[in-house]
């Protein structure tokens, strides 16, 4: 199926280690199951999920040290086209541990290496040079220490002359910086409901509240489209063309790791294929629901996405 080129960017990747124990308790040695290892980080997960759904992307990833070398080999073995940017230190690791008795999941995320201004400039230059005219660039995940909160805005400005469209999924100060933009250089901005409430400075208990806030960000120029994930209550997107809500499928939850990244992958892939916004949102919701049914850091499976997409429920909203 034809699609526009997709470039994903991961500045702060991690080697994801997953295991489980009978119980997770303090002060004793925990006898764990044999671990599984996956290359992780926002943009990496987006590329992995896009490939699972039959799409194609290039992953630009900052990698360093022996962990970075290991991740590069894993990505290449998975068939993901890889562009590497030398990271200023060892690539971080993260640990997910399941408590089987309590059916709870614990996630331990380490910080990445400290970046200098020169590292930031190199990343910005390579990302801009690697973007394709008419393509999509996905900046997803946290910023490493030393990378300014304005990086997404800097990238959006740099991409303006290249004809590429930027999709941003970030958090904290970086998200707040994008949300205050007035130039619509960002194509799509995604956040969850807690982040939306933080930006709004008030609670958004109802779908109409979320839809109104998302529409206000579009109107103010933060992005051409704004997506807010409301967890089990589904997802909302606002654009100049309208506002839509996608129901979240009622599926058994095994692990939530990577669900947000899979959502972004589904939307990006649908968007790259030229689908209507509502259908791209439906593919996103299907990918997220498919991912929560898989264990540990495994992402969506194509057959599950196809089944859930066929049963999608998308509603146009009025506010």
């Amino acid at each position: 199926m034809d699609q526009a080129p997709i470039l994903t960017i991961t500045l702060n990747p991690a080697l994801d280690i997953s295991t489980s124990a009978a119980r997770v308790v303090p002060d004793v040695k925990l006898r764990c199951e044999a671990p599984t290892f996956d290359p992780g980080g926002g943009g990496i997960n987006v590329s992995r999920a896009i490939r699972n759904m039959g799409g194609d992307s290039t992953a630009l990833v900052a990698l360093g040290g022996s962990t970075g070398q290991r991740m590069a080999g894993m990505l290449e073995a998975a068939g993901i086209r890889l562009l590497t940017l030398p990271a200023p230190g060892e690539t971080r690791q993260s640990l997910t541990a399941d408590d089987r008795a309590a059916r709870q999941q614990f996630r331990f995320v380490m910080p990445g290496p400290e970046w200098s201004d020169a590292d930031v400039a190199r990343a910005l230059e390579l990302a801009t040079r690697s973007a394709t005219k008419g393509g999509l660039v996905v900046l997803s995940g946290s910023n490493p220490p030393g990378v300014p909160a304005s990086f997404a805005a800097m990238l959006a400005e740099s991409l303006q002359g290249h004809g590429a469209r930027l999709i941003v999924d970030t958090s904290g100060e970086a998200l707040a910086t994008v949300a205050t933009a007035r130039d619509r250089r960002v194509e799509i901005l995604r956040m969850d409901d807690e982040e939306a409430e933080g930006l709004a400075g008030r609670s958004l208990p109802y779908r109409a509240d979320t839809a109104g806030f998302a529409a206000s960000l579009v109107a103010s120029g933060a992005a051409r489209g704004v997506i807010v994930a409301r967890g089990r209550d589904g997802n909302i997107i606002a654009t100049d063309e309208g506002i839509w809500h996608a129901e979240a499928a009622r599926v058994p939850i095994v692990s939530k790791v990577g669900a947000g990244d899979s959502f972004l992958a589904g939307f990006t892939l649908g968007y790259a294929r030229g689908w209507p916004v509502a259908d791209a949102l439906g593919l996103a919701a299907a990918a997220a629901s498919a991912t929560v049914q898989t264990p540990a850091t495994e992402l969506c499976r194509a057959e599950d996405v196809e089944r859930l997409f066929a049963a999608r429920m998308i509603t146009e909203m009025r506010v």
Side-chain angles (χ1 to χ4, degrees), residues 148-191:
S150 59
F151 184 85
M154 294 162 60
L155 180 58
E157 181 178 1
S158 184
L159 290 172
Q160 279 291 100
H162 285 68
R165 298 165 290 168
L166 179 62
I167 297 175
V168 176
D169 184 0
T170 188
S171 59
E173 189 180 352
L175 171 61
T177 300
V178 177
T180 58
R182 297 292 180 265
D183 51 26
R184 286 199 173 194
R185 286 176 174 162
V186 171
E187 183 76 9
I188 301 292
L189 175 63
R190 180 187 178 272
M191 67 194 75

Side-chain angles (χ1 to χ4, degrees), residues 188 227 235-239 241-247 263 266-267 270-271 274-286 309 312-317:
I188 301 292
I227 298 172
N235 301 270
I236 289 172
I237 185 170
T239 70
E241 288 70 43
I243 303 171
W244 290 270
H245 173 265
E247 295 283 349
F263 176 96
F267 182 85
Y271 210 60
W275 292 4
V277 168
D279 288 340
L281 187 68
L283 185 61
F309 179 67
R312 67 192 181 279
M313 295 182 62
I314 312 295
T315 305
E316 188 169 8
M317 299 181 65

Side-chain angles (χ1 to χ4, degrees), residues 29-53:
K29 290 183 178 180
L30 303 177
R31 303 298 178 182
C32 299
E33 294 293 320
T36 60
F37 300 88
D38 287 298
I44 287 175
N45 288 339
V46 171
S47 280
R48 288 173 60 206
I50 285 174
R51 180 166 177 79
N52 288 358
M53 289 183 281

Side-chain angles (χ1 to χ4, degrees), residues 190 192-193 228-235 245-250:
R190 180 187 178 272
D192 63 29
D193 52 352
V228 179
R230 289 179 53 89
R232 287 182 174 271
D233 194 39
N235 301 270
H245 173 265
E247 295 283 349
R250 297 298 185 251

